[in-house]
């Protein structure tokens, strides 16, 4: 093996290591959820975990907070198609179910909302009790898929299907 060949091999190995580190960093830092808050309408949602002896309830609350905020925002916006998109993909009838939620809770979503994540003891399921500022209450059932993305159980389906 010539000295020139060894240098090229070494440069290629370093380049491959740098590329691998960059891809790994991108993968770890990217947002895995296929949904995000929009600029409008503004939402006021306080998400917290129920008092529990289990520390993972706080972690679950942190994990589901983006979904809960997106839910309240889509509910407030009144767009059933957008609301249906945060429904678990393995459910059917998401859009009609979303329209029912908008009809029932949409008018309450514009004011501050308190969301209390419950302790279910099942790692891929949780429920969230919403308290709207006018006293209206709602319980959201959420499922987590194999990619650690949380979804709203919306429509007809099996919460543990993924």
């Amino acid at each position: 093996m010539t000295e020139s060949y060894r240098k090229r091999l070494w440069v290629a190995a370093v380049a491959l290591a740098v590329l691998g580190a960059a891809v790994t960093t991108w993968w770890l830092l990217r947002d895995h959820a296929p949904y995000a808050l929009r600029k409008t309408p503004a939402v006021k949602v306080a998400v917290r975990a129920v008092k529990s002896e289990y520390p993972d309830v706080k972690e679950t609350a942190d994990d589901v907070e983006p979904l809960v905020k997106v839910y309240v925002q889509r509910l407030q916006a009144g767009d059933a198609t957008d609301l249906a998109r945060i429904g678990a993909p393995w459910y059917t009838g998401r859009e009609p179910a979303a329209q029912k939620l908008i009809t029932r809770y949409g008018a309450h979503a514009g004011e501050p909302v308190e969301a209390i994540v419950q302790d279910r003891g099942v790692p891929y399921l949780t429920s969230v009790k919403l308290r709207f500022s006018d006293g209206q209450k709602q319980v959201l059932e959420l499922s987590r898929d194999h990619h650690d993305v949380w979804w709203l159980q919306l429509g007809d389906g099996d919460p543990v299907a993924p």
Side-chain angles (χ1 to χ4, degrees), residues 55-143:
D56 61 338
V57 178
K58 171 68 171 111
E59 182 181 327
T60 300
D62 292 342
D63 289 346
V64 303
E65 183 173 359
L67 175 59
V68 173
K69 288 181 175 182
V70 168
Y71 169 74
V72 171
Q73 185 180 57
R74 302 305 193 270
L75 191 65
Q76 183 181 354
D79 187 337
T81 302
D82 276 352
L83 183 56
R85 286 186 185 124
I86 65 171
W90 52 91
Y91 276 66
T92 60
R94 291 187 307 266
E95 197 159 329
Q99 188 57 58
K100 287 179 185 175
L101 289 173
I102 290 168
T103 301
R104 185 161 181 192
Y105 300 105
H108 309 286
E111 297 299 322
V113 177
E114 181 182 22
I116 303 147
V117 179
Q118 303 302 297
D119 183 3
R120 293 273 298 260
V122 180
Y124 47 84
L125 296 174
T126 196
S127 60
V128 179
K129 290 184 179 179
L130 297 181
R131 292 183 188 156
F132 298 95
S133 64
D134 64 357
Q136 183 75 358
K137 295 179 183 178
Q138 179 188 11
V139 176
L140 298 177
E141 299 295 335
L142 308 179
S143 301

